[in-house]
Amino acid sequence: RILFAETDTGIIHLLDDTGPRPTVAPFLHSPDIQHPDNLEWDDHRQGLWITDDSRLSELWFWDGRDFQRVVSDTGGEITGVESHSDGRVWINLQGQHHGEDQTVLLTPVSLQPATP
């Protein structure tokens, strides 16, 4: 089973090849996430990290029921996310207007949902 993002539609699909015939079906969709780009399953939190490659680059978390915007960046693009079994989450920031590309460890404060 593989999750993949279709950036132009904002839909995350599931490729399931566990049966006699592989299938592809929509898995997740939120009108708030316009251009899903990178996906990372978080075993520690049992949820999915989603980067949104829109004009305002955002990092979202889906817990199986709700989407939560965790981080947004206006100066560049969140190009990747990696979660570790100990709960640490790293993101890559690219094309920063204010400095070099960066890999950033998110802190517990930044892992809380962003205020609208």
Side-chain angles (χ1 to χ4, degrees):
R1 296 170 46 120
I2 298 171
L3 292 173
F4 65 94
E6 186 175 1
T7 298
D8 291 336
T9 66
I11 299 173
I12 296 169
H13 295 278
L14 173 67
L15 167 63
D16 187 348
D17 65 351
T18 58
R21 194 165 195 208
T23 60
V24 174
F27 181 73
L28 287 174
H29 183 259
S30 169
D32 295 326
I33 302 172
Q34 299 173 9
H35 301 283
D37 193 18
N38 298 287
L39 308 173
E40 170 74 3
W41 181 257
D42 187 329
D43 284 326
H44 182 78
R45 291 174 184 82
Q46 291 299 298
L48 183 65
W49 293 101
I50 306 162
T51 64
D52 187 352
D53 192 16
S54 297
R55 195 174 70 177
L56 176 62
S57 189
E58 299 174 311
L59 176 66
W60 293 82
F61 185 75
W62 179 70
D63 66 4
R65 291 184 316 254
D66 298 312
F67 289 93
Q68 300 172 355
R69 186 181 62 205
V70 177
V71 175
S72 59
D73 190 293
T74 58
E77 178 186 345
I78 301 170
T79 61
V81 58
E82 183 174 329
S83 62
H84 293 264
S85 61
D86 64 4
R88 291 179 299 151
V89 177
W90 296 86
I91 60 172
N92 296 319
L93 299 174
Q94 180 181 35
Q96 297 293 309
H97 297 291
H98 47 74
E100 299 286 324
D101 293 350
Q102 304 171 31
T103 300
V104 177
L105 175 63
L106 298 181
T107 62
V109 171
S110 62
L111 291 175
Q112 299 301 315
T115 55

